[in-house]
Amino acid sequence: MTFNGMTVVAFESRMETELARLIERYEGLPLMAPALREIPLESNQAAYELGTRLMAGQIDMLVLLTGVGTEALFEILKPQYPWPSIVEAVQGTVIIARGAKTVAALKAVGLVPTVTVPEPNTWIDLVSAMDEYSLEPGVRIAVQEYGIPNNALVKALEQRGAAVFPVPIYQWALPEDLGPLRVACERVIAGRVEVMLITNAMQIDHVMQVLEQDGNVIPFHDALQKLVVGSIGPAASERLRHFDWPVDFEPSHSKLGVLVKEVSEQAANILGRKR
């Protein structure tokens, strides 16, 4: 089974072209409306402070949440310290890697994580993996953040007696051109979309911002009850439920290709039940 000509809206930015091709491969009509624009922080003082603490041996555990963030962190530190010193300092910590992309980013520079967080890579899975490693009271943990702070993760670590040092690397902004996003929202409200794919939790917040600006929160919410909402994984699903949006499908693995393939196979049945 495939999408069989269904219109599939997606808000992916970084992998927009690849996702559109995947949707077409499974006979869907992609409606791409990027909801995120990745921008570096104006000040990387936290990253510089992390470098100082690493070099002084004042970080016990280094939690790396994204591959892109890991790469960016090293790029920030390289002009400040000799690369062998950075590697030695990082190797002197317990390295916690969330997901395959983070592991790959470490491997690219010759580093190996101490603990790899298993799928579906939520902050809860991360904390569970760290619990198995046995956190000692007062352990000094640096957390490489992405997009928005993960307050739940920080709170959970602090409750275990850790001294947590958040390190924001980049943040998300709305696209400069909101036209495609507004068109997509209008088509959803008009009932001209059969499937919606969410591939990043932050996309939901940005779509909500635009809906609030345009006064379309309620009609959009109502329209979602009649289409298929596919979520890339638990983190995105948690955010969908926060706004009382439906979660009709999660893939067996939190990967774009798996999401598109498995949603295409189930879309007709789900749509039939919802309509």
Side-chain angles (χ1 to χ4, degrees), residues 187-231:
R187 290 186 63 178
V188 168
I189 292 169
R192 296 165 57 195
V193 171
E194 286 80 27
V195 180
M196 184 173 82
L197 299 180
I198 298 295
T199 57
N200 180 303
M202 193 65 190
Q203 294 168 0
I204 304 160
D205 291 71
H206 282 197
V207 172
M208 276 294 296
Q209 284 186 43
V210 173
L211 292 171
E212 288 171 353
Q213 290 174 14
D214 297 344
N216 284 330
V217 172
I218 293 176
F220 189 88
H221 174 274
D222 292 345
L224 294 182
Q225 313 312 311
K226 297 180 181 180
L227 57 81
V228 179
V229 180
S231 165

Side-chain angles (χ1 to χ4, degrees), residues 76-258:
I76 293 169
L77 295 179
K78 280 179 181 178
Q80 309 299 316
Y81 307 98
W83 177 244
S85 298
I86 297 173
V87 172
E88 182 180 357
V90 173
Q91 288 177 328
T93 71
V94 175
I95 307 171
I96 313 294
R98 171 185 170 269
K101 292 181 180 179
T102 305
V103 173
L106 287 166
K107 186 177 180 180
V109 295
L111 290 167
V112 179
T114 312
V115 177
T116 301
V117 180
E119 291 186 351
N121 314 131
T122 67
W123 71 267
I124 296 174
D125 298 311
L126 190 151
V127 172
S128 296
M130 294 176 74
D131 281 343
E132 292 181 11
Y133 199 82
S134 299
L135 297 181
E136 297 181 0
V139 62
R140 299 163 296 184
I141 303 177
V143 179
Q144 171 256 311
E145 295 183 336
Y146 60 98
I148 56 176
N150 191 325
N151 296 324
L153 170 60
V154 172
K155 183 178 180 180
L157 295 177
E158 289 177 341
Q159 288 175 340
R160 286 160 172 76
V164 184
F165 176 49
V167 186
I169 302 299
Y170 57 86
Q171 61 187 2
W172 298 113
L174 280 166
E176 293 179 344
D177 179 10
L178 293 178
L181 194 52
R182 285 197 160 101
V183 168
C185 290
E186 290 168 1
R187 290 186 63 178
V188 168
I189 292 169
R192 296 165 57 195
V193 171
E194 286 80 27
V195 180
M196 184 173 82
L197 299 180
I198 298 295
T199 57
N200 180 303
M202 193 65 190
Q203 294 168 0
I204 304 160
D205 291 71
H206 282 197
V207 172
M208 276 294 296
Q209 284 186 43
V210 173
L211 292 171
E212 288 171 353
Q213 290 174 14
D214 297 344
N216 284 330
V217 172
I218 293 176
F220 189 88
H221 174 274
D222 292 345
L224 294 182
Q225 313 312 311
K226 297 180 181 180
L227 57 81
V228 179
V229 180
S231 165
I232 190 72
S237 297
E238 181 181 16
R239 202 63 186 156
L240 284 163
R241 295 187 180 102
H242 173 80
F243 291 112
D244 193 31
W245 290 7
V247 179
D248 298 312
F249 189 86
E250 278 188 21
S252 56
H253 296 283
S254 298
K255 301 180 184 300
L256 283 183
V258 179

